[in-house]
Amino acid sequence: QVQLVESGGGLVQAGGSLRLSCTVFGPTISRYAMGWFRHSPGKEREFVASITWSANGNYADSVKGRFTISRDNAKNTVYLQMNTLKAEDTAVYYCARARPSGNPDYAPYENREYDYWGQGTQVTVSS
C-alpha cells in the first residue's frame, strides 16, 4: 500500500515563501519520479513540477525561477520550496508518485502518468 501525506501549506502574504513536504509511506521512492500539481476553483488541476530519480527538476512556466522541487530518498520525502509567491499561486497542492518506469530521466507533467496521490494541502497567498 502506498500513502502520500502533504504538509506545509498555509496562509502567506504575496512575496513570501512556503515549503511543502510530501512523505510517502510504503515502498521507497528512489526509483520513482515524483510530481507536484495544484488545483484552484474554476480551473483544472495543473502541473507544477516533477523530479527524476537523479533529482533533476522540471517546472511549469508559471513557477519557473520561483519554485524548486527536491527529494530526500532516505526520508522518502519530496519537497516544494515556493518563493516570491503570488496571489495566483493560491490552490490546493497535491503530491503524486509517477507510474513505474525504467527511465531515470522520466519526470512527467501529465496527470495520467501518476498513479498515487496525496490528499492535498491548501496554500493561500494574500495580495
Side-chain angles (χ1 to χ4, degrees):
Q1 188 173 354
V2 181
Q3 184 180 10
L4 286 71
V5 179
E6 302 99 333
S7 60
L11 174 64
V12 63
Q13 289 188 332
S17 298
L18 281 175
R19 187 196 195 203
L20 305 184
S21 299
C22 170
T23 299
V24 180
F25 297 92
T28 176
I29 64 171
S30 62
R31 288 295 181 261
Y32 290 93
M34 299 293 296
W36 286 96
F37 292 76
R38 64 187 181 187
H39 183 227
S40 53
K43 295 184 178 180
E44 294 186 356
R45 185 165 55 188
E46 64 173 348
F47 169 76
V48 176
S50 60
I51 188 166
T52 67
W53 294 0
S54 53
N56 292 317
N58 296 311
Y59 300 92
D61 288 343
S62 59
V63 306
K64 200 171 293 184
R66 299 188 297 122
F67 290 11
T68 302
I69 188 171
S70 61
R71 64 192 298 157
D72 185 339
N73 292 336
K75 296 182 179 180
N76 242 30
T77 299
V78 180
Y79 303 97
L80 186 68
Q81 178 66 45
M82 306 186 296
N83 298 330
T84 320
L85 282 161
K86 306 175 181 179
E88 51 263 44
D89 294 318
T90 295
V92 177
Y93 283 72
Y94 297 90
C95 171
R97 193 192 77 173
R99 299 183 187 282
S101 168
N103 181 1
D105 297 321
Y106 180 62
Y109 60 89
E110 295 181 331
N111 289 352
R112 65 173 182 266
E113 298 299 329
Y114 292 81
D115 56 2
Y116 287 97
W117 295 79
Q119 83 290 346
T121 186
Q122 176 71 47
V123 171
T124 303
V125 184
S126 62
S127 56

